[in-house]
Amino acid sequence: MNGLSVQVGVSGTSFAFDQAYSYSVPDNLADKAVPGSRVIVPFGRSDRRRVGIIVGVCTDTENVEGLKAVSSVVDNTPIIGDEQLKLLLWLRDTVFCTYYEAFRTLIPPGLGVSFTQKYRLSPKKPKKGELSDKAMGLYLSASETDDGGELAVMISEDGKSASELIEKGFLEEIDLAKQRVRDDTVSMVRLTDHYSEKNIKLTPKQKAAAEILEREGCASVRELCYMCGCTSQVVKNMVKSGAAELFDYEVLKAPETIERDSVDDIVLNGSQQAAFDGISQMISEKKAAAALLFGVTGSGKTPVFAKLIDHTLRMGRNVIMLIPEISLTPQTLNRFRRLFGETVAVLHSGLSLSMRSNEYKRVKSGQCRIVVGTRSAVFAPLDNIGLIIMDEEGERTYKSESSPRYHAKDAAAQRCLYHNALLLTASATPSIESYYSAEKGRTKLFVMPDRYSPDPSVKAAMPRAEIIDMTGSGRVLSEELVSGINDNLSRGEQSILLLNRRGYHTFITCSECREPLACPNCSIPLTYHKVNNRLICHYCGYSQDYTDKCPKCGSTKLKLSGMGTQRLEDELAEFFPGARILRMDADTTYSRYAYDKRFTAFGNGEYDIMVGTQMIAKGLDFPNVTLVGVLNADKSLYSGDFRSYERTFSLITQVVGRSGRGNSRGRALIQTFAPDHYVINLAAQQNYTAFYEQEIAMRRALIYPPFCDICAVGFSGEDDKKTGAAADIFAEKIAEGIKNIPEKMPVRVLGPSKCVFEKINGKFRYRIIIKCRNNSQFRSFISGVRTETARLPEFRGISVYLDMNGDISL
């Protein structure tokens, strides 16, 4: 033994028991067992094999004795480098996750591994009396078979004898790791010839699926399940009966951009040039710094980004460009590929496993110098970074809602510190925290107050915004909005309508017993989807056939209310029978290239009206759109989160800004039941600074970010009382712990209380809200409470998570 040992973050460990476990390294693995490499190690009392990541190495020979040994090394070379290893440790220390959860965040899912354990007899043969009778019997039986599967069965049936053979060196364990990358295909289904030739009996759901396949010819399994309201098992049973067959359809990659544009052809106006000069100077200084580019909607931030990227590349440094939504990726990617060619890579969750792995490898190999993508792209293995851009930096999508619960801005700041790079955040509606930081001088502020016009002789104007009071109207579309759309149709101009709820009806109530039709797994009403005549829960995915009877009292007097994008689409078709309508929501964007195809079609004038949820509100540029309508604008004002006003203002401001980006001045109509609310009015005026002054005053008075940090402690379990009791115990431990801290630690604890949606996916939910300061002292304290309580019997079956500055509206 060489005396080498490694510290390993092991997969599958809970937060309370997660640590860097020490393992000795056999001589034959010493060269490969380095930090950043994956290993297979025995873990726990049963020594069950698990995958782990090496996070440290120790050469202290005195501490090797008694350590379990690394079984094998998965990677020939480290899968993550020095900087990514530092990011892994940073994630683990700051966002309350395990080592391996942090590691999995750094690499695409396709590069993950699964492994199987196989056995083979060693060349060494036992001598008489060297083995027990049972072990010798197993050895002799194993010697007579060449079938690996049969050998595995023998070993599983007599584990004690197998352990004896392994311990004495007559049986060898072999761990085979396999990377999880699948072909870039979609699983499709179609009817077989036998279906029409033979009288195959089908269940009602199978018949519904067959009718769709007869009409459409074929469909993806996912689409067919959605349309029929069934699971994939229904399709599998149809295949078994011979009625249908599966086949793989190769998804073609997006066509490469042929035409190239030159960055030198981009002409900046005065405010754009001033912003470029100041920001490029900061990049040239090669110091870790941060800047905020605050420009009104349509002010032309993208041309400035392009010039800054070109400036950074000319310095020999590389760039990451982050965008908040997958829907924005196609337009952004196409713009930059026209300017910078194949040196641009794209990373986001909408890509297939093989495509994400391929792009990741292109970046890691140095073939790409620009990475465009959503939140996870911040961890791209790009070297020598000079600039990280976060467009629409205030968007909530930059914050992960599952472990590790990191914010892309914090990760970007860490990378800029490592590379001495500039973090440039940009938005027409920056987060309150970001603007406060700029106001205090911690971040350099650059302002672009005017809209950009391609023609310097023409001054582009902001859209005219009108607030429509819908109180007592009983209408879906106001007269003003109907008239405006008609005018646009007659002029050949396009319109965008925002309604941030998908489905048809969003609420169904029994008129007799007053009970809503709710999800059996969640404390949330079911949404009616007319396309497949199903009631669907948008939180856990539960669905059922629509029924006209109340499940509680049997009454047929059901009242359907509320409006989603599907109903709005139907209403528009009735009002404007000749109009071409495009609906953009989660139900119409299943396929990987749906965003690109649909937005491209709209940009090419193939549709007159686009209806959608928040995915259409930001970052899109359609010059022929001259009218924007916002429906139920005040809905998000009352979400129960201190950020609800900020999010409402941002959503309305941004979607209004989609209008009038060409040569014609735009118009925006905001339908609301709260026409006098200051948030609605300031959003209509596009007056961010006035809104900021109101919001920062409120947060200062109530002590909310940026004047503190918010740590949410969440609890979920199948038993309501047990979950609530666990939350109470946790709160008591916090109170006890604070009393015993010698140094004063500013903490205010609210709760525990039930969450807004108290039951999700069959589990009851409680939470504690802590106003605190996000520093190492507090993180160490709250992590200690979580670790201590995890060992208590009252917490068995209770899931606990910690989330710093996350969403507290659910």
Side-chain angles (χ1 to χ4, degrees):
M1 186 68 68
N2 54 37
L4 180 69
S5 66
V6 291
Q7 284 77 52
V8 179
V10 181
S11 62
T13 58
S14 65
F15 177 83
F17 297 95
D18 183 60
Q19 64 182 55
Y21 291 93
S22 295
Y23 287 88
S24 63
V25 179
D27 293 340
N28 63 319
L29 299 178
D31 291 340
K32 294 181 11 178
V34 296
S37 294
R38 285 172 294 188
V39 290
I40 295 175
V41 294
F43 188 76
R45 294 178 181 176
S46 62
D47 284 342
R48 189 172 181 180
R49 297 292 194 269
R50 292 194 186 180
V51 180
I53 181 74
I54 298 178
V55 296
V57 174
C58 180
T59 56
D60 187 356
T61 57
E62 294 181 4
N63 295 325
V64 174
E65 291 296 327
L67 295 180
K68 296 178 181 180
V70 170
S71 300
S72 62
V73 179
V74 175
D75 305 299
N76 292 321
T77 58
I79 190 168
I80 59 174
D82 177 69
E83 185 200 359
Q84 287 181 302
L85 186 57
K86 284 182 169 62
L87 285 171
L88 184 156
L89 298 175
W90 170 79
L91 283 169
R92 204 264 177 181
D93 289 341
T94 58
V95 298
F96 313 109
C97 67
T98 68
Y99 283 107
Y100 207 78
E101 285 174 335
F103 164 69
R104 286 190 303 182
T105 304
L106 299 177
I107 65 169
L111 295 185
V113 294
S114 58
F115 71 93
T116 56
Q117 200 169 45
K118 293 192 176 183
Y119 301 88
R120 69 183 176 195
L121 294 178
S122 67
K124 180 182 176 182
K125 295 184 179 180
K127 297 177 183 178
K128 188 176 181 180
E130 197 172 357
L131 293 172
S132 66
D133 291 343
K134 281 192 174 182
M136 179 58 79
L138 177 59
Y139 178 84
L140 294 174
S141 298
S143 302
E144 296 174 357
T145 180
D146 295 327
D147 188 337
E150 186 179 342
L151 178 59
V153 171
M154 291 180 188
I155 291 169
S156 66
E157 291 177 348
D158 191 354
K160 187 175 181 181
S161 296
S163 297
E164 184 180 343
L165 291 175
I166 293 169
E167 185 180 343
K168 294 184 178 180
F170 301 113
L171 184 67
E172 296 176 348
E173 295 176 294
I174 306 169
D175 296 316
L176 299 177
K178 184 179 181 182
Q179 193 163 289
R180 298 191 191 106
V181 176
R182 62 186 180 211
D183 293 334
D184 191 17
T185 58
V186 173
S187 183
M188 305 287 288
V189 60
R190 61 191 171 203
L191 296 174
T192 63
D193 294 336
H194 298 299
Y195 171 72
S196 56
E197 295 172 0
K198 298 181 180 180
N199 187 21
I200 300 176
K201 293 184 178 180
L202 300 177
T203 66
K205 287 190 175 181
Q206 290 174 346
K207 286 180 181 178
E211 289 174 0
I212 292 175
L213 293 176
E214 283 183 323
R215 183 174 69 248
E216 303 295 337
C218 66
S220 73
V221 173
R222 185 179 181 186
E223 290 171 333
L224 186 62
C225 290
Y226 172 75
M227 295 301 296
C228 299
C230 65
T231 65
S232 59
Q233 190 60 46
V234 173
V235 178
K236 291 177 182 177
N237 291 338
M238 290 179 69
V239 173
K240 283 183 181 179
S241 69
E245 61 183 359
L246 296 173
F247 65 99
D248 287 334
Y249 173 73
E250 183 180 1
V251 179
L252 299 178
K253 293 183 178 180
E256 302 293 342
T257 303
I258 299 174
E259 295 183 8
R260 289 284 302 275
D261 299 331
S262 173
V263 180
D264 295 333
D265 293 337
I266 297 175
V267 178
L268 303 180
N269 63 23
S271 61
Q272 287 175 316
Q273 188 65 48
F276 169 77
D277 291 342
I279 297 169
S280 61
Q281 178 60 37
M282 295 180 73
I283 297 171
S284 299
E285 291 172 357
K286 295 185 179 181
K287 295 179 181 179
L292 171 63
L293 179 58
F294 170 46
V296 298
T297 55
S299 59
K301 292 184 286 293
T302 302
V304 176
F305 295 157
K307 286 282 194 179
L308 291 170
I309 291 172
D310 182 60
H311 173 78
T312 307
L313 295 180
R314 290 175 186 271
M315 291 177 58
R317 310 192 77 189
N318 302 322
V319 180
I320 295 177
M321 170 82 188
L322 299 176
I323 50 180
E325 296 272 0
I326 293 176
S327 60
L328 303 180
T329 307
Q331 277 200 349
T332 305
L333 182 64
N334 289 337
R335 285 171 186 162
F336 288 130
R337 278 198 170 153
R338 284 198 303 268
L339 291 169
F340 303 107
E342 292 311 301
T343 191
V344 181
V346 59
L347 289 172
H348 60 75
S349 60
L351 301 176
S352 69
L353 293 183
S354 59
M355 289 178 69
R356 287 178 74 180
S357 298
N358 181 67
E359 291 291 273
Y360 181 91
K361 291 173 183 176
R362 288 180 63 217
V363 175
K364 192 174 183 180
S365 67
Q367 295 180 35
C368 300
R369 300 188 59 195
I370 304 168
V371 175
V372 175
T374 50
R375 181 178 65 227
S376 60
V378 73
F379 297 117
L382 197 64
D383 289 328
N384 193 21
I385 297 172
L387 173 66
I388 298 179
I389 301 171
M390 279 188 69
D391 196 16
E392 306 300 347
E393 62 86 31
E395 282 300 289
R396 63 198 296 182
T397 51
Y398 282 124
K399 178 71 165 65
S400 172
E401 295 180 359
S402 59
S403 187
R405 291 177 165 83
Y406 69 92
H407 197 292
K409 184 177 180 181
D410 297 331
Q414 286 296 310
R415 301 206 69 180
C416 287
L417 281 173
Y418 184 89
H419 291 278
N420 286 320
L422 174 68
L423 171 58
L424 175 63
T425 56
S427 182
T429 53
S431 67
I432 298 298
E433 293 88 338
S434 292
Y435 199 82
Y436 179 79
S437 179
E439 188 183 52
K440 293 299 179 183
R442 300 169 194 157
T443 302
K444 184 72 172 176
L445 178 63
F446 297 91
V447 180
M448 297 196 304
D450 302 314
R451 277 206 153 185
Y452 172 75
S453 173
D455 184 353
S457 62
V458 178
K459 184 176 181 180
M462 297 296 290
R464 300 186 306 273
E466 303 171 37
I467 297 174
I468 312 298
D469 185 0
M470 298 298 290
T471 306
S473 72
R475 296 168 59 103
V476 172
L477 302 174
S478 62
E479 292 181 4
E480 293 88 343
L481 187 54
V482 171
S483 175
I485 294 173
N486 268 322
D487 290 343
N488 263 25
L489 291 171
S490 65
R491 293 193 298 264
E493 296 172 352
Q494 294 172 301
S495 308
I496 289 179
L497 301 185
L498 171 75
L499 176 62
N500 205 19
R501 289 295 297 270
R502 63 189 177 102
Y504 198 85
H505 290 294
T506 58
F507 201 79
I508 303 175
T509 314
C510 175
S511 299
E512 294 289 338
C513 67
R514 306 294 181 183
E515 288 289 328
L517 268 65
C519 172
N521 305 319
C522 310
S523 55
I524 295 170
L526 292 168
T527 299
Y528 174 61
H529 285 235
K530 184 180 179 182
V531 174
N532 57 0
N533 199 37
R534 303 279 294 177
L535 298 173
I536 298 177
C537 174
H538 290 168
Y539 283 83
C540 73
Y542 170 84
S543 72
Q544 66 180 51
D545 290 327
Y546 172 71
T547 174
D548 59 357
K549 287 187 178 181
C550 173
K552 294 284 180 68
C553 68
S555 171
T556 57
K557 296 180 180 179
L558 297 182
K559 181 182 178 182
L560 285 77
S561 57
M563 179 175 61
T565 49
Q566 290 182 6
R567 182 183 170 196
L568 178 57
E569 183 182 22
D570 281 2
E571 294 278 349
L572 289 169
E574 289 184 15
F575 273 102
F576 314 105
R580 299 164 297 172
I581 303 168
L582 172 66
R583 176 163 58 90
M584 292 293 292
D585 56 30
D587 298 323
T588 63
T589 52
Y590 276 127
S591 68
R592 193 169 303 133
Y593 299 113
Y595 299 105
D596 194 5
K597 290 179 180 178
R598 288 168 173 265
F599 283 141
T600 299
F602 186 77
N604 291 336
E606 297 175 27
Y607 294 95
D608 304 306
I609 305 170
M610 179 161 62
V611 176
T613 55
Q614 64 180 8
M615 69 172 64
I616 69 170
K618 302 179 182 183
L620 299 172
D621 189 359
F622 299 111
N624 197 37
V625 171
T626 56
L627 176 66
V628 163
V630 184
L631 283 69
N632 293 346
D634 46 275
K635 190 75 174 178
S636 57
L637 282 171
Y638 315 108
S639 66
D641 185 1
F642 71 91
R643 294 187 180 92
S644 60
Y645 282 10
E646 179 183 0
R647 287 171 179 158
T648 303
F649 177 87
S650 176
L651 186 64
I652 296 174
T653 301
Q654 291 282 0
V655 75
V656 166
R658 299 311 106 201
S659 177
R661 299 171 78 91
N663 295 325
S664 302
R665 188 179 183 185
R667 184 186 181 199
L669 300 175
I670 304 169
Q671 297 186 174
T672 176
F673 295 95
D676 297 325
H677 201 290
Y678 77 90
V679 172
I680 305 292
N681 281 269
L682 292 177
Q685 299 167 25
Q686 303 270 293
N687 193 342
Y688 175 84
T689 52
F691 169 75
Y692 168 79
E693 293 299 332
Q694 293 259 19
E695 187 72 6
I696 201 70
M698 182 190 73
R699 294 198 186 184
R700 183 182 287 109
L702 300 177
I703 312 178
Y704 277 117
F707 303 102
C708 73
D709 292 292
I710 299 283
C711 179
V713 187
F715 308 84
S716 65
E718 296 179 357
D719 185 280
D720 188 11
K721 290 184 178 179
K722 187 177 178 181
T723 307
D728 289 335
I729 292 172
F730 200 100
E732 291 170 6
K733 293 293 183 183
I734 293 175
E736 292 172 7
I738 291 173
K739 290 179 183 178
N740 297 326
I741 294 177
E743 295 182 42
K744 186 178 180 181
M745 185 171 65
V747 170
R748 291 191 180 186
V749 181
L750 308 176
S753 61
K754 288 188 174 182
C755 294
V756 176
F757 298 132
E758 62 185 63
K759 187 181 179 185
I760 295 288
N761 206 15
K763 293 190 175 183
F764 294 92
R765 305 160 70 239
Y766 287 76
R767 70 180 174 193
I768 297 171
I769 302 298
I770 307 173
K771 294 182 178 181
C772 60
R773 187 170 295 153
N774 184 11
N775 55 27
S776 58
Q777 181 194 22
F778 175 79
R779 291 194 300 269
S780 177
F781 166 74
I782 200 68
S783 296
V785 175
R786 181 180 176 185
T787 301
E788 179 187 356
T789 54
R791 295 179 168 87
L792 300 177
E794 293 88 347
F795 280 74
R796 287 176 187 159
I798 305 297
S799 297
V800 181
Y801 71 85
L802 304 174
D803 188 11
M804 189 65 71
N805 293 322
D807 187 355
I808 61 172
S809 64
L810 300 179

